[in-house]
Amino acid sequence: MRGVLWSCLVLFLALAPLAARAEGRLVDFEVASKRFDGAKVGVSPVRKVTAYLPDGYGAGTRRYPVVYFLPNLFDGHRAIFERDGAKAALDRAIAAGTVPPLILVSADFSTPAGSSFYATSPVTGDWTGFLAKDLVDAVDGRFRTLPRAEARGLLGDRMGGYGAIRTAMVAPGVFGSVYALHPVGTGVGLQTMNSRPNFERLARARSLDDLGDDGFSRVFLGMYQAFLPNPDKPPFYVDLPASGHGETLATDPVLTAKLQNAFLLDRLLLVHAAELKRLRGLMFDWGRFDGNADHVVSNRAFAGLLEELGVPNEAEEYRGWWGERHWTQGGRVETRALPFFARTLAFD
C-alpha cells in the first residue's frame, strides 16, 4: 500500500509543474475591409490581426470578453507579443486570478507614414469604422465572445491610448471600458505642435523617403493626413498648418485651429462627454518623468477637465518615463490595467 501511495505522490509532483504552466495560445488571422477603398496613400484593405486565447479555450462552450489592444506609433500588431512578453503576462495574470480568462486582440493600424491616429480620413481611410465595426464583427464571428459592449474593452499604449479614448468618444455603444497607458494628444502642452516638424523639408519632399530619419516630420505628416487631409494635393494629400522652420516659422491660424479641434482629446471631450459617461470604466495614467513635459501637463489638465464635466474616471501619475515597457512582470498592465478590466468588464 505504501508503494502505491508513493507512486501516486511522485506522479502528482511530476504533473504539478505542468498544471502550473497552463498557457494560452496566439492565433493569427486577417480581416478584409472596404473602409480603405479610395484611400489616397494606398492603405492595404487586408489587415493582420493576432488574438490571445486563454488556456482552456479549446475545450467547452464558455464565452469570453475581449480586450482590443491599440499599439503605439510605429509598433506592429505583434510587437507586444514578440518584444514585450504580453502572452506571458496574460498567462500569469489569469493563473494568479488577477483577471478572469479573456481574449485579447491586437490588429495592424499602421499607414505608410506610420500611424492612422485611429481616425477617419479620405486620405488614410475609415479607421474608426474598421475598429468599431469590421474588426469587432470579425472577432465575434470567429471566436466565442460575449458580443455586447459591456464585455468589450479598449487598451491602448501612448498613441494607442489616445486611440482608445477617442474611439470611445466617436463610436459610442461598442466598447464598455477603456484603459489608456500614457496617452498622448490629450491637449495642448508647453510647446506648440507646429514647432516640431520641419515644414521646409515637408514642403520639398516628394516621397516618404525624402523625410529620411526625421521622426517628428513623419509623425506629424501622419497626423496631418488624418486631421488636415486634402485629397487634391499630392504627394502627401495634406494641408500644412505652417511654413518655414525655426525663426522663419509662419503659422496658419485657421489650419492650426482646425487641427487642434479635430485631434486633441480635450476639444473632443467638450462635445463627447456624454459618450464617456456611458462607459463602465475609464482609466488612464502617465509617467511623471516623461522627457516631453507636454504629455505630463496635458494629461493632468485632461484629468481635471473630465472632473469639471462630470465624467467618472481614474487617473494616475506614477514614477515612470516615456518608452518604458508595461507588459513586464509586475508592470502596469498586470498591476493596473488587467485588474481594472476584471472590475469593469462583464464575464460569462
Side-chain angles (χ1 to χ4, degrees):
M1 184 67 178
R2 180 179 298 175
V4 174
L5 292 175
W6 177 252
S7 298
C8 291
L9 177 60
V10 171
L11 180 62
F12 171 79
L13 292 175
L15 294 177
L18 297 178
R21 291 197 298 270
E23 294 184 2
R25 61 189 177 96
L26 301 181
V27 176
D28 293 309
F29 60 102
E30 296 178 340
V31 176
S33 173
K34 295 185 179 298
R35 307 281 175 175
F36 311 109
D37 291 353
K40 304 297 287 189
V41 293
V43 173
S44 171
V46 179
R47 311 308 299 178
K48 295 183 181 299
V49 187
T50 298
Y52 167 90
L53 304 181
D55 177 61
Y57 177 88
T61 59
R62 178 175 182 174
R63 291 186 171 273
Y64 300 86
V66 182
V67 172
Y68 291 83
F69 177 76
L70 308 185
N72 186 30
L73 289 163
F74 304 117
D75 274 355
H77 68 290
R78 287 189 62 89
I80 57 168
F81 301 112
E82 296 174 350
R83 182 192 64 200
D84 299 338
K87 179 181 174 297
L90 291 164
D91 286 341
R92 285 193 303 267
I94 293 172
T98 301
V99 64
L102 52 72
I103 295 170
L104 184 134
V105 171
S106 179
D108 176 15
F109 289 90
S110 66
T111 68
S115 175
S116 65
F117 286 80
Y118 303 95
T120 296
S121 161
V123 173
T124 58
D126 179 8
W127 291 95
T128 301
F130 168 72
L131 169 57
K133 179 62 176 172
D134 298 352
L135 181 60
V136 166
D137 285 351
V139 170
D140 285 344
R142 180 179 289 263
F143 303 112
R144 294 198 311 276
T145 68
L146 293 167
R148 55 186 190 269
E150 57 264 34
R152 296 191 193 106
L154 284 170
L155 170 63
D157 184 9
R158 288 166 282 188
M159 186 52 69
Y162 166 89
I165 298 174
R166 177 187 181 86
T167 302
M169 290 184 182
V170 301
V174 179
F175 304 95
S177 56
V178 173
Y179 194 114
L181 296 155
H182 206 120
V184 299
T186 52
V188 173
L190 300 174
Q191 186 177 7
T192 61
M193 289 193 295
N194 283 349
S195 65
R196 291 188 171 92
N198 186 329
F199 288 100
E200 290 180 344
R201 191 167 186 177
L202 283 170
R204 291 195 308 266
R206 303 270 60 88
S207 71
L208 289 173
D209 291 339
D210 292 336
L211 298 179
D213 59 353
D214 186 350
F216 269 135
S217 292
R218 290 180 69 96
V219 168
F220 278 86
L221 175 61
M223 183 188 298
Y224 304 148
Q225 289 178 337
F227 303 111
L228 291 177
N230 187 336
D232 300 319
K233 197 172 183 179
F236 297 132
Y237 303 100
V238 299
D239 289 321
L240 297 178
S243 60
H245 187 62
E247 294 182 356
T248 66
L249 180 67
T251 296
D252 183 320
V254 174
L255 289 176
T256 298
K258 180 180 178 181
L259 172 65
Q260 291 179 342
N261 290 333
F263 169 58
L264 296 176
L265 291 181
D266 59 353
R267 310 296 174 88
L268 297 178
L269 180 59
L270 299 175
V271 180
H272 296 287
E275 284 79 358
L276 293 187
K277 290 180 182 180
R278 295 170 55 184
L279 293 173
R280 294 162 63 94
L282 169 62
M283 186 169 182
F284 65 107
D285 59 32
W286 61 94
R288 181 177 305 148
F289 305 121
D290 186 334
N292 185 344
D294 289 16
H295 301 153
V296 178
V297 170
S298 59
N299 277 317
R300 287 174 180 169
F302 188 66
L305 184 59
L306 287 168
E307 296 297 334
E308 186 76 17
L309 298 179
V311 178
N313 71 94
E314 302 172 62
E316 181 179 4
E317 181 175 300
Y318 59 92
R319 292 179 60 83
W321 56 92
W322 175 268
E324 63 184 306
R325 304 302 178 194
H326 298 299
W327 291 92
T328 56
Q329 188 163 9
R332 297 195 68 79
V333 171
E334 285 189 32
T335 61
R336 293 293 192 273
L338 293 179
F340 165 82
F341 286 120
R343 289 187 282 109
T344 59
L345 286 179
F347 289 81
D348 193 9

